[in-house]
Amino acid sequence: MNRAWLPLVGFGVLAAFLGVGLTLNPREVPSPLIGKPAPAFSLPTLAEPQKQFSVEDAKGKVWLLNVWASWCTPCLEEHPIIEVLSKKGIPVYGLNYKDKEAAATAWLRRHGDPYILSVVDPTGRVGIDYGVYGTPETYLIDKQGVIRFKHVGPLNPQVVERTLLPLIAKLRAS
Amino acid sequence: MPLVYALVLAAGMVAVPAAATTAPAQAPSAAGATTPGVARPNAEDPALEQRLISVTKELRCLVCQNESIADSHASLAVDMRNEIREQLKSGMSERQVIDFMVARYGNFVRFRPPLDWTTIALWFGPGLLMAIGLGLLVGQLRHRRTLAAARAMPDLSEAERAALATLASGRDGHEKHKDGNTDRMVDR
């Protein structure tokens, strides 16, 4: 082969690597919790603070844990999708993250409450257990209480249609 | 007085990072507002703060990814510092604290990820590329040198060598040439 082609080949390899790199989202950090039991918590619910909800209570269901807050703008952007999922009969639980009770309640009253219930994590301590680093985050938890999928950032129709719904159907069947 | 400005600037450069690493408890956050008392001001146990800094410098803030938890003012970093402070206080080792964070956020949270099959390219890739680059460079330079040598010493016949020797000792010839300047003019 002609040696003059070598720089072009080198450039091609470099461009291919950089091109793939451009399609990756550096904000998306793979969670080590996929395939592991959802970290246990028992937190008061937003609607009735004297009541507690724990991961155990949702056992036997395929459910979503959606981390949200009233101060989180992308959560509002995501909100209609959560409502669609809820209407489809998928149990969505909220984890109200580092929020104030009054603000969170007002937010739900204003934009609608698609959650079966929301639990409150004002200090973000449970958030750390779940590896939360940006709201919204959504966890798919199976019947055995194992985390099967995590999405960081607002859910979008592509993720819902291509990944989330097929995975939920599969987990429900098993 | 440029010298005074320089001194003030230098003092500021020293003071600002120092303030950044010692001021975590003051950073406002939603958590701080709702549950006071989780974060104690830091000065009460300097040894603990020292350990806290040494651990948090090893951990990446996931919100502003190029900053460590020690440096970042992101609310998550504040929470993580508070959490780690409590853990260290309760007797956990630095190692255990880092493992705790890795279990939740993955190896990405470490600035120095462990050596395994997924990170092998990260650890040795740059060195390998450098070695390849240096190898190519040395090879190329050697190749050029042999080429240059071949060009400098082509196969000459006896007569050519003699002619070359005359030319090489040519300072006299040059002088003569100068003397014979007028002749040359005539020749033309």
Side-chain angles (χ1 to χ4, degrees):
Chain A
M1 200 181 88
N2 194 339
R3 291 175 63 95
W5 287 96
L6 274 177
L8 192 62
V9 170
F11 172 77
V13 169
L14 196 65
F17 270 99
L18 294 177
V20 170
L22 275 179
T23 68
L24 301 176
N25 179 3
R27 294 244 141 234
E28 207 145 319
V29 179
S31 173
L33 291 168
I34 310 290
K36 301 243 172 70
F41 64 77
S42 184
L43 290 172
T45 65
L46 180 65
E48 295 167 90
Q50 68 280 10
K51 271 195 191 161
Q52 300 260 318
F53 170 81
S54 70
V55 180
E56 287 291 308
D57 298 340
K59 223 161 210 182
K61 283 191 230 182
V62 177
W63 57 293
L64 293 173
L65 181 68
N66 179 245
V67 185
W68 68 278
S70 65
W71 46 259
C72 148
T73 325
C75 295
L76 190 57
E77 180 192 320
E78 178 191 60
H79 205 61
I81 294 182
I82 301 290
E83 275 175 331
V84 168
L85 288 171
S86 180
K87 284 209 184 93
K88 277 184 197 276
I90 294 155
V92 189
Y93 290 79
L95 177 71
N96 183 234
Y97 177 71
K98 298 190 64 166
D99 209 345
K100 294 199 176 102
E101 203 188 308
T105 311
W107 194 83
L108 287 181
R109 206 177 306 126
R110 191 152 146 214
H111 303 294
D113 183 356
Y115 302 105
I116 291 186
L117 58 85
S118 281
V119 292
V120 291
D121 180 22
T123 59
R125 179 60 190 77
V126 169
I128 289 182
D129 274 344
Y130 275 79
V132 172
Y133 61 92
T135 47
E137 289 193 9
T138 306
Y139 298 80
L140 174 62
I141 299 166
D142 72 6
K143 290 175 186 168
Q144 284 76 40
V146 174
I147 296 178
R148 290 298 180 180
F149 174 73
K150 175 187 177 181
H151 182 78
V152 179
L155 285 170
N156 54 59
Q158 287 91 323
V159 173
V160 170
E161 291 297 328
R162 286 188 205 151
T163 317
L164 201 55
L165 292 180
L167 199 52
I168 289 173
K170 208 179 102 194
L171 290 172
R172 278 182 166 172
S174 69
Chain B
M1 298 285 270
L3 184 66
V4 175
Y5 288 132
L7 279 175
V8 169
L9 193 63
M13 286 164 103
V14 173
V16 166
T21 51
T22 53
Q26 280 89 329
S29 72
T34 49
T35 55
V38 172
R40 287 260 73 93
N42 44 44
E44 61 189 39
D45 187 351
L48 179 75
E49 289 310 306
Q50 205 46 57
R51 285 178 72 207
L52 178 67
I53 289 168
S54 81
V55 177
T56 50
K57 275 210 178 302
E58 288 293 312
L59 296 172
R60 183 195 304 277
C61 171
L62 282 107
V63 179
C64 21
Q65 301 187 344
N66 290 329
E67 273 191 302
S68 73
I69 290 173
D71 296 332
S72 178
H73 281 287
S75 144
L76 178 68
V78 177
D79 292 348
M80 283 167 102
R81 278 198 298 261
N82 290 337
E83 176 65 26
I84 292 168
R85 185 182 288 117
E86 293 306 315
Q87 288 176 350
L88 290 175
K89 242 187 226 171
S90 75
M92 277 170 78
S93 69
E94 275 94 337
R95 177 85 250 159
Q96 282 171 318
V97 170
I98 288 175
D99 288 346
F100 172 94
M101 287 301 168
V102 168
R104 281 153 185 78
Y105 289 95
N107 276 326
F108 186 74
V109 80
R110 295 177 66 175
F111 275 121
R112 287 186 289 179
L115 180 60
D116 63 25
W117 284 111
T118 58
T119 57
I120 200 157
L122 186 66
W123 277 99
F124 297 115
L128 191 69
L129 282 179
M130 173 114 173
I132 291 173
L134 279 177
L136 284 176
L137 182 68
V138 168
Q140 193 65 31
L141 287 177
R142 280 202 184 143
H143 182 64
R144 263 193 213 178
R145 197 183 295 160
T146 45
L147 273 187
R151 217 175 285 138
M153 203 46 81
D155 289 334
L156 298 175
S157 67
E158 273 307 309
E160 281 169 331
R161 271 178 211 283
L164 187 63
T166 337
L167 278 174
S169 62
R171 234 186 131 58
D172 304 342
H174 197 68
E175 301 283 322
K176 265 181 204 159
H177 196 85
K178 213 174 168 186
D179 295 342
N181 216 351
T182 44
D183 293 345
R184 279 186 58 172
M185 296 287 276
V186 173
D187 279 347
R188 269 195 191 171

